[in-house]
Amino acid sequence: KMKRPNKFRMEMEVQGQKMVQAYNGEKGWMLFPGAGSQPQELSGPQLEQAMEQADIDGELYNYEKKGYTAELLGKEFLGDDEVFNIKLTGSDGVEKNYYIGTDDYLVKKVVGKVNSQGQEVTVEQIMSDYENIDGVMVATKIESKSPMGSAVINFKNMNFGAPLDNSIFEKP
């Protein structure tokens, strides 16, 4: 669930237990059964990641206003698909590569480095199963791969403009 400006809440099932991560525009929190029964404040890299996830439009939209620079590295193939390889660099020097289809201009893959448990690791996200929802093409499947393992997120219900109470983004 996302709401402007910069609010998001994600709920998922992990090994049969519900995990919740949220950001209210200023602070983030997470409820993860493996880390106890009380919500934990997000800080450092976890908070930065939550802030990025809360950007409804994504990093590429108005990238310069958000403090990024973009560089077209060229075209290449991702499987059978020809893609543009665009390097996006944040004001902090962190780089991500976006692979965007040359025929449909949809993001196929994003590769970047994140800090996880004190170590820098490469994370790859593969977007697929795009659907037209209210005139916007949205990936309904995102596969995330890293040295820590893989996860697949399948979005079942998506709609835009649904009313959301601000309280769902607040730490309980």
Side-chain angles (χ1 to χ4, degrees):
K1 297 176 176 150
M2 300 178 82
K3 183 176 181 179
R4 293 184 193 277
N6 300 324
K7 295 179 181 177
F8 99 101
R9 179 185 176 106
M10 177 176 57
E11 297 178 13
M12 69 177 76
E13 194 171 295
V14 178
Q15 298 176 344
Q17 297 185 324
K18 183 176 175 180
M19 182 192 126
V20 179
Q21 186 175 17
Y23 179 72
N24 68 5
E26 295 176 10
K27 295 180 180 178
W29 58 273
M30 176 175 72
L31 181 60
F32 188 68
S37 62
Q38 297 299 313
Q40 305 295 314
E41 292 280 336
L42 296 179
S43 62
Q46 284 184 317
L47 180 60
E48 290 171 21
Q49 185 179 22
M51 291 166 67
E52 284 179 17
Q53 287 177 297
D55 182 357
I56 290 174
D57 300 312
E59 296 167 317
L60 289 175
Y61 181 75
N62 282 334
Y63 68 90
E64 289 175 317
K65 287 183 181 178
K66 296 175 184 176
Y68 294 99
T69 59
E71 177 184 357
L72 176 61
L73 299 180
K75 294 180 185 178
E76 56 189 77
F77 280 89
L78 186 61
D80 292 334
D81 295 326
E82 185 178 44
V83 295
F84 296 108
N85 180 354
I86 298 173
K87 180 172 72 172
L88 193 69
T89 306
S91 57
D92 56 2
V94 174
E95 298 175 352
K96 288 185 182 176
N97 288 73
Y98 280 79
Y99 299 87
I100 300 173
T102 59
D103 60 343
D104 56 15
Y105 302 103
L106 298 175
V107 176
K108 308 292 184 183
K109 180 167 90 168
V110 179
V111 178
K113 295 189 185 300
V114 297
N115 191 322
S116 177
Q117 301 172 356
Q119 294 186 359
E120 188 175 82
V121 296
T122 299
V123 175
E124 181 177 301
Q125 291 182 311
I126 301 165
M127 289 74 164
S128 62
D129 298 350
Y130 277 85
E131 289 184 18
N132 186 327
I133 301 172
D134 295 336
V136 178
M137 295 301 291
V138 180
T140 62
K141 180 179 178 182
I142 301 175
E143 183 178 359
S144 184
K145 298 178 182 180
S146 75
M148 299 167 293
S150 297
V152 176
I153 300 172
N154 290 301
F155 296 95
K156 294 179 182 173
N157 297 317
M158 287 190 176
N159 60 51
F160 297 116
L164 297 173
D165 191 291
N166 285 335
S167 66
I168 69 167
F169 304 104
E170 300 299 329
K171 183 177 168 187

